[in-house]
Amino acid sequence: LFLNSVFDLLGKTLPGIPALRSKCIPILVLTIIRLVFLPLFLMGNLQIPGYTLPFEPLLANDALFVVLMSIKSLTGGFIMTL
């Protein structure tokens, strides 16, 4: 939760940098690109007692999941501020 908040705050400060405030990429395009996160989250290392995944998790390492969550928070904060 802490990293989520930190990267969200960082993403909200990025549009303050003039070089990153581009009008050539519409917000809708950025939002659609973020849909890539949905299948990646679903293929994470889910561990529920008494339940086995029907497939091998793509993100078997929890560190990769934390990086994915950080990128999601960063881009979410960036899009919310535009």
Side-chain angles (χ1 to χ4, degrees), residues 1-71:
L1 186 61
F2 175 74
L3 281 178
N4 190 15
S5 299
V6 168
F7 279 98
D8 184 57
L9 178 65
L10 185 63
K12 288 179 180 175
T13 59
L14 286 178
I17 300 171
L20 296 176
R21 210 177 320 152
S22 174
K23 296 294 181 188
C24 62
I25 301 176
I27 295 174
L28 181 62
V29 173
L30 291 173
T31 305
I32 291 172
I33 290 173
R34 289 189 74 221
L35 288 175
V36 170
F37 289 115
L38 184 61
L40 289 176
F41 285 131
L42 293 174
M43 293 184 175
N45 189 14
L46 180 66
Q47 296 178 358
I48 299 174
Y51 178 76
T52 57
L53 291 173
F55 55 87
E56 186 67 30
L58 182 64
L59 299 173
N61 189 351
D62 289 337
L64 293 174
F65 193 76
V66 169
V67 169
L68 183 66
M69 284 293 297
S70 300
I71 293 171

